[in-house]
Amino acid sequence: DAGVIQSPRHEVTEMGQEVTLRCKPISGHNSLFWYRQTMMRGLELLIYFNNNVPIDDSGMPEDRFSAKMPNASFSTLKIQPSEPRDSAVYFCASRQSTVSTEAFFGQGTRLTVV
Amino acid sequence: AQSVSQHNHHVILSEAASLELGCNYSYGGTVNLFWYVQYPGQHLQLLLKYFSGDPLVKGIKGFEAEFIKSKFSFNLRKPSVQWSDTAEYFCAVNAGNAGNMLTFGGGTRLMVKP
């Protein structure tokens, strides 16, 4: 398996633009997590899904952020409109919850909003 | 709610020194515990994990961690660090009552001087 795949790896956008980050979890994994990492706040859980259903989105900063998981093999995190303070590395991770395994992380998307 | 505390935010050691990074969690029931490492510019990778059994867990690259239930701790150790261990280390917990949610500590930045 190729692991968790995120795209794009880097994104530079202007303030006010819409940004969409994409994630393909490992095949067979039924849980998916979106994290944001910054120097100031460290690693923050934004939202996680079990079996494509959002379970906990309390970490989503505000209404500008939204996440979807239309099927077991794809998820998106959207920011609309984007702001400079959204600049961070966004990680997606997946896990198989029915067995004792760890979460596997993607390479991350480095987002810069100017 | 589950929470994880890493008390050491920054650690600087010389090569061959011994390492111990603290991790404490808040949940009193069954837990799954993890240590992840993030090398500069890379994604999080699993170092080791504890689910049950022997509380002393051996991981990759000579790392180990000990689960002490009475102290709610899962400290990471390495007897002799190398310059290549320079990275950020994250402790994580999945509590039995938290579904599939994985909560991370704030991370510890380790710098090993050659």
Side-chain angles (χ1 to χ4, degrees), chain B residues 15-30:
Chain B
E15 275 195 316
S18 65
L19 170 72
E20 181 160 2
L21 302 182
C23 173
N24 288 92
Y25 61 92
S26 63
Y27 183 65
T30 303

Side-chain angles (χ1 to χ4, degrees), chain B residues 3-80:
Chain B
S3 67
V4 182
S5 297
Q6 292 181 242
H7 308 296
N8 312 103
H9 299 293
H10 297 273
V11 174
I12 301 174
L13 295 172
S14 297
E15 275 195 316
S18 65
L19 170 72
E20 181 160 2
L21 302 182
C23 173
N24 288 92
Y25 61 92
S26 63
Y27 183 65
T30 303
V31 291
N32 299 325
L33 297 159
F34 310 84
W35 274 98
Y36 282 81
V37 61
Q38 185 179 29
Y39 298 105
Q42 296 190 24
H43 65 294
L44 276 75
Q45 304 168 53
L46 184 73
L47 267 182
L48 47 79
K49 60 187 176 184
Y50 171 81
F51 285 90
S52 63
D54 189 343
L56 184 62
V57 180
K58 305 269 186 202
I60 60 171
K61 305 186 180 187
F63 285 91
E64 65 178 31
E66 186 174 12
F67 170 52
I68 303 180
K69 189 173 182 179
S70 61
K71 294 185 178 180
F72 300 91
S73 70
F74 190 55
N75 292 355
L76 181 70
R77 300 194 293 251
K78 185 171 183 178
S80 176

Side-chain angles (χ1 to χ4, degrees), chain A residues 30-31 33 35 37 39 42-43 45 48 50 56 91 95-97 100-108, chain B residues 32 34 36 38 41-46 49 51 88 90 94 98-106 109:
Chain A
N30 65 337
S31 292
F33 308 81
Y35 290 90
Q37 187 177 38
M39 287 291 292
L43 193 64
L45 176 65
Y48 84 98
N50 269 3
D56 187 338
F91 287 104
R95 184 183 185 209
Q96 172 53 265
S97 65
S100 296
T101 66
E102 67 273 25
F104 293 82
F105 281 76
Q107 297 283 339
Chain B
N32 299 325
F34 310 84
Y36 282 81
Q38 185 179 29
Q42 296 190 24
H43 65 294
L44 276 75
Q45 304 168 53
L46 184 73
K49 60 187 176 184
F51 285 90
E88 188 161 13
F90 293 90
N94 168 233
N100 206 28
M101 191 165 77
L102 198 58
T103 301
F104 282 83
R109 288 184 180 270

